[in-house]
Amino acid sequence: MKLLAAALTLVATQSVAQELPCFNRSEFIQTLDETYGEINIATLEETDGTPLELYVMPNGYWALGILTQDGVVCVVVKGYDFLPQDRGELG
């Protein structure tokens, strides 16, 4: 969790976002779906209003992307072994 928080903090500046792997959002989503079967399963919002999207593949690989105002998604962090949780556990 600390790694994710650090990554999101770094993305807060435009210069850092330019150093991340960034793609046209619609092309990125189409490529993920057609090539890897990866889909957007969640759209999140940071406390400052910055939108984030979580993409997951059937084999458990995942990527978290930050959306820019000009329709670009930049991959902040990625990993494997995504395990969805039962929403009932949230209370």
Side-chain angles (χ1 to χ4, degrees), residues 1-10 62 76-78:
M1 192 64 171
K2 289 183 181 181
L3 175 62
L4 177 59
L8 295 177
T9 301
L10 287 174
W62 58 269
V76 179
V77 64
K78 57 186 177 176

Side-chain angles (χ1 to χ4, degrees), residues 22-35:
C22 298
F23 312 90
N24 172 284
R25 183 178 179 270
S26 59
E27 293 173 7
F28 181 67
I29 291 172
Q30 183 176 358
T31 299
L32 287 179
D33 181 36
E34 292 175 359
T35 306

Side-chain angles (χ1 to χ4, degrees), residues 10-79:
L10 287 174
V11 173
T13 65
Q14 183 68 13
S15 61
V16 173
Q18 291 174 352
E19 295 175 16
L20 295 172
C22 298
F23 312 90
N24 172 284
R25 183 178 179 270
S26 59
E27 293 173 7
F28 181 67
I29 291 172
Q30 183 176 358
T31 299
L32 287 179
D33 181 36
E34 292 175 359
T35 306
Y36 305 106
E38 193 165 358
I39 59 169
N40 176 347
I41 65 160
T43 300
L44 314 161
E45 190 173 293
E46 282 191 83
T47 55
D48 68 357
T50 303
L52 304 165
E53 290 186 335
L54 179 60
Y55 304 91
V56 177
M57 293 171 60
N59 66 3
Y61 281 93
W62 58 269
L64 182 68
I66 188 166
L67 302 177
T68 66
Q69 293 178 351
D70 55 355
V72 172
V73 61
C74 298
V75 178
V76 179
V77 64
K78 57 186 177 176

Side-chain angles (χ1 to χ4, degrees), residues 76-87:
V76 179
V77 64
K78 57 186 177 176
Y80 58 92
D81 288 339
F82 177 80
L83 299 172
Q85 301 295 310
D86 181 358
R87 289 187 61 88

